[in-house]
Amino acid sequence: MNSENDSNILIVGAGTWGCATALELARRGHTGITVLDGSPFPSAISAGNDLNKIAEEGNKPSANDSDIDYFWNNVHQLAMKAWKTDPLFTPFYHKTGFIMAAVGEDGYQSCIEYAETEHTHLIPLETKEDFHKTMPEGVLQGDFPGWRGFWRDGGAGWVFARGALFAMHAEAIRLGVTFVTHETQGRVHELLYSPNRTSILGARTADGVVHTANTTILSAGANSDALLDFKNQLRPTAWTLAHLPLSAEEAQTYRNLPVLYGVDSGFFIEPDMERHEMKICDEHPGYLNPVSDPETGAFRSVPFARHQIPEESESRMRTLLRDTMPQFADRNFTFARVCWDADTVDRVFLIDRHPELANLILAVGGSGHGFMTSPAVGVLVADALEAKGEVEDRVRKMMRWRPETAVDRDWWDSLGRFGADGKVMDFRAVEEWTKIGGNGTS
């Protein structure tokens, strides 16, 4: 032990949820907040360190909603209140509309279910001409073979993820939050337990420093299960993305596009106007990196940072482009990376006080919805700390510590996602990785 630092609140993880939580707590007047992370900000594996994320406003919650619809309608409404009215967040929300479509029958049934739950007008899309009309002439030149879906012309769009992440981080610092983001000084080696192991006293970082706190909040994203036994409630899962370079003239032409999301193909969002790059993603149930504990045999999926993607992922992205924007199907990508999140069994967040460890609050399980809802997450975590809030018990109960849902968990469950034959993939089986660099070669 080299030394000891004392805080009122210690947040483990400086990614999207760590920043959102620190910001909300500081805004509520909490002081003595320290955030620890083992990566320089922003983390290379943080899903929020990205050009953009899809955003939907959601329906007004109704007591007659199913539990899952009630949960997401509440969380989306809470998040969109910030994206639409909070001066910190409003510059990053782009209300461009949203297209949800599919090629396969299972995916299309998912689109129909989505359309049936929406309280806004959706325009059916059944032919290539239907799809072409959703964007300016010449943008969508593909034949859209087998594609069917719906166009939501309003009430949805995208958020500039990296910009919002930096804004949350900067404002939290301005309000007095201390960030320690360093490979040794910020990397949490272990949580500190009381002698009787009934409470958490803080954390020890890789440099041996002990950080004590009245309350510790674990929000380390996909790395969270390396610090606490979640009893199989979390599954670190990875997805893949690449950037398509555009000329300045092309970038202007492709502005203000609705998000095109193929639930079994992939998606793209309008280009970044600074770098003139468009993010392309292939859609799939995710990749795992399975590692077994040599002593217990326990299974874990272990995150890693890599700025390349499997060649099979690039191939799926090329197929998406050939279907939709064939003019770009053979253009070299300039950037690619793997990004991680943690899936719960039901893809509902886990935001709760630990029932057996006093002074520990959990803020994990983004399950692919973490960034768009981050303003809401900050509120939900702060409410859990203060034991108050406007969110109803029905929502809080869904986010509870719930290991009973993960008994005999199927680690390869697709969790209702489509694409790549509908199967979760194994990084150990990847034979070839891309060689995508800043010079545009691949």
Side-chain angles (χ1 to χ4, degrees):
M1 182 188 304
N2 296 329
S3 61
E4 183 170 330
N5 294 325
D6 181 64
S7 300
N8 293 324
I9 301 171
L10 184 67
I11 300 175
V12 180
T16 302
W17 284 17
C19 286
T21 298
L23 173 64
E24 180 64 22
L25 289 172
R27 282 179 159 183
R28 294 190 185 192
H30 291 274
T31 59
I33 303 170
T34 300
V35 186
L36 301 175
D37 199 294
S39 298
F41 181 84
S43 168
I45 70 167
S46 172
N49 181 14
D50 196 1
L51 283 182
N52 39 47
K53 300 290 185 184
I54 298 172
E56 291 188 83
E57 297 184 9
N59 301 316
K60 184 178 180 179
S62 166
N64 296 323
D65 289 341
S66 67
D67 279 348
I68 195 69
D69 287 340
Y70 190 77
F71 174 80
W72 288 118
N73 286 335
N74 269 278
V75 172
H76 279 220
Q77 289 270 307
L78 186 59
M80 289 311 304
K81 180 181 178 181
W83 290 115
K84 294 171 70 175
T85 66
D86 188 320
L88 181 73
F89 291 102
T90 53
F92 306 111
Y93 175 48
H94 299 258
K95 189 176 178 179
T96 59
F98 174 71
I99 296 165
M100 185 176 186
V103 177
E105 188 61 35
D106 289 344
Y108 182 56
Q109 287 303 313
S110 177
C111 296
I112 292 175
E113 292 170 8
Y114 163 81
E116 290 175 344
T117 62
E118 289 302 302
H119 298 170
T120 187
H121 178 62
L122 300 178
I123 301 170
L125 305 173
E126 297 179 352
T127 67
K128 73 174 183 179
E129 289 79 15
D130 290 341
F131 282 94
H132 288 185
K133 291 176 183 176
T134 65
M135 299 188 190
E137 185 176 358
V139 171
L140 299 178
Q141 300 179 21
D143 289 335
F144 286 83
W147 283 63
R148 293 174 293 170
F150 299 89
W151 177 21
R152 178 176 179 170
D153 186 17
W158 60 277
V159 293
F160 176 29
R162 199 166 189 267
L165 183 63
F166 271 84
M168 289 190 288
H169 180 259
E171 181 65 4
I173 290 174
R174 190 188 72 80
L175 293 174
V177 176
T178 299
F179 283 82
V180 183
T181 54
H182 187 273
E183 61 183 357
T184 56
Q185 297 168 14
R187 185 174 302 281
V188 172
H189 177 68
E190 62 180 346
L191 298 178
L192 298 177
Y193 292 77
S194 63
N196 59 5
R197 297 187 72 81
T198 60
S199 64
I200 296 296
L201 306 179
R204 178 181 286 108
T205 45
D207 58 357
V209 173
V210 168
H211 298 261
T212 58
N214 296 336
T215 301
T216 298
I217 300 172
L218 179 56
S219 62
N223 285 313
S224 296
D225 76 329
L227 297 171
L228 182 75
D229 180 6
F230 278 90
K231 301 186 183 302
N232 295 337
Q233 291 177 87
L234 296 186
R235 183 189 72 180
T237 309
W239 287 271
T240 44
L241 64 86
H243 290 178
L244 177 76
L246 303 177
S247 67
E249 182 179 1
E250 287 172 334
Q252 285 292 335
T253 301
Y254 287 75
R255 291 191 68 182
N256 301 317
L257 304 181
V259 175
L260 178 64
Y261 174 46
V263 300
D264 51 7
S265 301
F267 65 91
F268 60 83
I269 301 174
E270 68 171 275
D272 167 58
M273 295 310 295
E274 293 182 4
R275 301 181 181 179
H276 304 149
E277 293 180 326
M278 179 181 288
K279 185 179 81 172
I280 309 293
C281 292
D282 57 321
E283 185 65 20
H284 52 73
Y287 284 90
L288 304 186
N289 182 38
V291 175
S292 296
D293 187 297
E295 296 184 3
T296 66
F299 174 98
R300 285 190 61 233
S301 177
V302 180
F304 60 89
R306 184 156 186 168
H307 284 85
Q308 298 295 336
I309 56 176
E311 285 193 351
E312 62 197 24
S313 292
E314 180 177 4
S315 177
R316 288 189 291 264
M317 294 175 191
R318 299 292 179 192
T319 298
L320 169 67
L321 289 171
R322 280 193 292 273
D323 284 356
T324 61
M325 298 189 297
Q327 64 271 32
F328 297 133
D330 297 318
R331 183 172 295 187
N332 290 329
F333 295 139
T334 53
F335 175 83
R337 78 176 180 107
V338 172
C339 61
W340 291 85
D341 201 351
D343 282 324
T344 60
V345 175
D346 53 12
R347 294 181 65 187
V348 170
F349 303 154
L350 173 48
I351 299 176
D352 194 10
R353 284 187 174 272
H354 196 289
E356 299 171 359
L357 296 170
N359 307 327
L360 177 63
I361 295 175
L362 307 170
V364 295
S367 304
H369 296 285
F371 196 92
M372 179 266 160
T373 58
S374 56
V377 168
V379 172
L380 295 170
V381 179
D383 285 353
L385 184 145
E386 297 176 346
K388 66 178 184 180
E390 299 178 2
V391 177
E392 297 181 17
D393 286 343
R394 186 176 175 186
V395 172
R396 284 194 288 269
K397 287 178 180 177
M398 290 189 70
M399 297 189 297
R400 74 190 186 282
W401 175 264
R402 49 192 189 279
E404 70 279 2
T405 65
V407 175
D408 298 324
R409 179 174 190 173
D410 177 5
W411 288 99
W412 303 97
D413 185 352
S414 67
L415 299 180
R417 298 186 178 107
F418 304 95
D421 298 323
K423 297 178 180 179
V424 176
M425 294 167 285
D426 190 334
F427 274 128
R428 297 173 301 181
V430 173
E431 296 181 356
E432 298 291 340
W433 290 77
T434 59
K435 298 179 177 62
I436 296 171
N439 60 0
T441 61
S442 64

